[in-house]
Amino acid sequence: MAELATIARPYAEALFRVAKSGSLSVWADLVSEMAQAAAHPDVKALAQNPALSDQQIVAVFSSVLKTKLSVEAQNFISALVENGRLTLLPEIAAQFHALKNAQEGAADADITSAFALSDVQLKDLVATLEKKFGRKLTPTVKVDEALIGGVRVVVGDEVFDTSVRAKLQQLHVALAA
């Protein structure tokens, strides 16, 4: 939704400016944790409950998090609650991580494998992919047995699919033509 992205952008940029003055990786972890909590249906219901005051919502949301919030993080959550934007945290987190990746010259890589990868296999695969894509990659690995064999990698809007399923689909298209 373009509208949510537009509303979330100023919050993500402001949070990123604050995070740059501190530890960017600590903030990235905190933003991910806050986004995960804000995406929970119970938290969404809490944020939209008119019977609760803004301070009560902030207090309950803060108590849900494992990480103790700094003054800056507490102020950020308060601003979101006051403006009715707490449920935007997942989109704010996505934009925050995009800003972080852009600054670090990195990208997120969604790797889907037909089988579980060992640490050594993952390390080798990431090294190969970093050479191919020309930037540092932060991998997220999933297993999907429907691939039959091989891997499917998505980095931004680029897809690198070496799975057996993809090759079978290509063969099907070639034979059907």
Side-chain angles (χ1 to χ4, degrees):
M1 292 187 180
E3 184 178 315
L4 292 180
T6 303
I7 296 169
R9 185 174 298 112
Y11 291 102
E13 290 172 349
L15 187 59
F16 185 72
R17 283 193 301 272
V18 170
K20 282 195 318 187
S21 65
S23 173
L24 199 53
S25 62
V26 171
W27 273 98
D29 293 341
L30 177 61
V31 170
S32 294
E33 182 183 349
M34 290 190 302
Q36 187 176 10
H40 193 278
D42 291 342
V43 174
K44 286 180 180 180
L46 169 86
Q48 296 169 352
N49 187 341
L52 298 174
S53 70
D54 290 348
Q55 294 82 10
Q56 289 172 317
I57 294 171
V58 170
V60 172
F61 183 77
S62 299
S63 70
V64 169
L65 303 173
K66 290 186 280 187
T67 308
K68 182 167 173 25
L69 298 179
S70 65
V71 174
E72 293 91 354
Q74 194 78 28
N75 289 341
F76 180 71
I77 296 300
S78 295
L80 289 175
V81 170
E82 288 170 13
N83 293 307
R85 306 281 194 229
L86 187 64
T87 56
L88 278 180
L89 261 169
E91 178 63 29
I92 293 169
Q95 291 190 25
F96 178 89
H97 289 294
L99 291 168
K100 178 181 176 282
N101 284 342
Q103 177 170 329
E104 295 174 346
D108 292 327
D110 294 323
I111 301 171
T112 306
S113 173
F115 303 99
L117 298 173
S118 70
D119 291 339
V120 173
Q121 289 172 322
L122 180 60
K123 184 179 175 185
D124 291 344
L125 177 61
V126 169
T128 302
L129 291 170
E130 285 176 346
K131 288 178 188 173
K132 177 174 179 38
F133 289 102
R135 57 190 159 203
K136 182 173 176 2
L137 297 177
T138 307
T140 303
V141 181
K142 294 182 288 196
V143 175
D144 181 3
E145 294 174 0
L147 294 180
I148 304 169
V151 294
R152 182 174 193 271
V153 181
V154 178
V155 178
D157 60 353
E158 297 179 69
V159 178
F160 181 64
D161 195 343
T162 62
S163 67
V164 173
R165 181 176 67 185
K167 291 183 181 184
L168 287 173
Q169 288 172 341
Q170 291 171 350
L171 184 61
H172 174 73
V173 169
L175 291 174

